[in-house]
Amino acid sequence: MKKFIICLLSLIPLLLAQGMPEFPENRVNDYESLRAWFDDAPHTLAEFEMTRTMPSGRKLKSRGTFEFRRGVGMMWRTEFPVRNAMVISSEWLTNYDARGRIIRQLSVSGAPSSRFTGAFMQELKPEFIRQMERAFTMTSRSNAQADTLVLGLKSKHEASDLRWLLLVVKNRTLEQVFYESARQGRTHVIFRNVSHSQMIPEQGFKLIP
């Protein structure tokens, strides 16, 4: 389940500009069919734009690049408004400053949205999805003609910081993510110029732009 949650946070920047779609109502029963909606390439590169609306109403905007490596983890490298990086693995969430120095490291067990993102991107295995159902109600809406899937998760527990999560997948690529946190408000991520590759780079993540 930890792996199933770590990759979603990594994927949050594309829906704000177009407006958030309605939450789907159809319960997910066929977990295996979800895999067909996602590209199975082990390496993904993309640009992201993120807008976070705090509970106070203040909006925080950022942009940068995103990289996912199956079996390794993912990296969010922010280039605006400040340069920094965040790397999420199956066990750790690590923040780096503009010089590549570690400024914070947390266990992903305390970051439910990160756990979900990571595991979701790792392999989309049905067993991970079933584990997520212990904490979330999963619903979906698809349009085969437009090659679009909207996947929604709502927390079953009022005390959970992650209240809900909404993914928009088009042409087998996760292009937008919406989610709401009790502490941080709403976040919208849009991914652009997404590219997939069957080869995973041998060198480590490039932290400094």
Side-chain angles (χ1 to χ4, degrees), residues 176-203:
Q176 297 192 73
V177 179
F178 293 94
Y179 71 95
E180 183 174 75
S181 163
R183 292 177 296 178
Q184 298 182 335
R186 290 192 177 190
T187 299
H188 171 221
V189 183
I190 297 176
F191 296 96
R192 294 191 174 93
N193 299 322
V194 180
S195 63
H196 301 290
S197 172
Q198 294 299 322
M199 299 294 293
I200 298 178
E202 294 183 2
Q203 67 274 21

Side-chain angles (χ1 to χ4, degrees), residues 16-68:
L16 289 177
Q18 302 175 12
M20 181 175 139
E22 293 184 3
F23 222 88
E25 299 180 353
N26 300 322
R27 290 289 298 271
V28 174
N29 295 312
D30 184 3
Y31 304 104
E32 188 66 29
S33 66
L34 288 178
R35 302 183 65 174
W37 287 95
F38 293 83
D39 192 294
D40 60 358
H43 184 231
T44 298
L45 290 172
E47 298 173 359
F48 75 84
E49 294 181 6
M50 181 182 298
T51 301
R52 176 168 292 164
T53 304
M54 306 298 289
S56 64
R58 181 186 179 191
K59 291 185 180 294
L60 305 175
K61 294 180 179 291
S62 60
R63 64 173 180 264
T65 59
F66 168 80
E67 181 178 3
F68 165 73

Side-chain angles (χ1 to χ4, degrees), residues 20-165:
M20 181 175 139
E22 293 184 3
F23 222 88
E25 299 180 353
N26 300 322
R27 290 289 298 271
V28 174
N29 295 312
D30 184 3
Y31 304 104
E32 188 66 29
S33 66
L34 288 178
R35 302 183 65 174
W37 287 95
F38 293 83
D39 192 294
D40 60 358
H43 184 231
T44 298
L45 290 172
E47 298 173 359
F48 75 84
E49 294 181 6
M50 181 182 298
T51 301
R52 176 168 292 164
T53 304
M54 306 298 289
S56 64
R58 181 186 179 191
K59 291 185 180 294
L60 305 175
K61 294 180 179 291
S62 60
R63 64 173 180 264
T65 59
F66 168 80
E67 181 178 3
F68 165 73
R69 301 181 184 186
R70 178 170 297 147
V72 178
M74 67 189 73
M75 178 183 68
W76 296 89
R77 194 176 67 189
T78 302
E79 299 173 0
F80 174 86
V82 294
R83 292 170 60 185
N84 56 46
M86 177 176 67
V87 176
I88 304 174
S89 68
S90 60
E91 298 182 355
W92 300 101
L93 186 156
T94 307
N95 293 100
Y96 298 85
D97 65 12
R99 296 183 180 181
R101 298 174 300 191
I102 296 177
I103 57 177
R104 185 180 67 163
Q105 188 171 60
L106 302 172
S107 169
V108 296
S109 61
S113 53
S114 294
R115 292 200 312 275
F116 176 80
T117 300
F120 193 88
M121 293 183 66
Q122 287 292 338
E123 297 185 57
L124 273 179
K125 288 185 176 179
E127 54 264 35
F128 290 145
I129 301 177
R130 294 189 184 96
Q131 290 176 15
M132 288 307 300
E133 279 214 318
R134 299 174 186 173
F136 298 94
T137 298
M138 300 181 64
T139 57
S140 68
R141 180 177 65 253
S142 61
N143 184 327
Q145 185 174 2
D147 199 8
T148 301
L149 170 74
V150 177
L151 181 64
L153 296 93
K154 287 186 177 180
S155 175
K156 295 180 179 179
H157 309 293
E158 294 183 1
S160 174
D161 179 60
L162 181 61
R163 292 173 173 169
W164 53 262
L165 181 71

